[in-house]
Amino acid sequence: MVEYQAAKACFFEIFLMPLAVIMTSTVYYRFLFMRRSARHDPYTLHVFAEFRTATASENRPVTRQ
């Protein structure tokens, strides 16, 4: 009985856990994509506009005068 439980736990760790992680990340990415493309939610528009502004300022090269 103990060997069966250990085999079942190994099966879960080896096969099902990576699958669960991949599925969760894919679903969450799709959720964020749909939230970003929503045009009727002013809060979402504001948050993603702030995010674009923050990331755009990080990517600009620093010019010294």
Side-chain angles (χ1 to χ4, degrees):
M1 185 71 174
V2 174
E3 294 86 14
Y4 177 71
Q5 290 176 346
K8 201 161 73 172
C10 289
F11 176 77
F12 178 74
E13 289 177 2
I14 293 171
F15 293 107
L16 296 181
M17 198 61 164
L19 182 64
V21 169
I22 291 170
M23 294 274 296
T24 303
S25 61
T26 304
V27 168
Y28 187 66
Y29 172 76
R30 186 69 181 150
F31 169 74
L32 284 179
F33 181 77
M34 288 170 46
R35 287 287 294 188
R36 185 179 183 279
S37 63
R39 301 274 183 219
H40 62 277
D41 189 4
Y43 175 75
T44 302
L45 293 176
H46 177 71
V47 167
F48 280 106
E50 290 288 327
F51 181 70
R52 273 192 300 270
T53 304
T55 56
S57 64
E58 289 176 359
N59 293 335
R60 275 190 295 187
V62 177
T63 56
R64 297 183 182 171
Q65 297 180 11

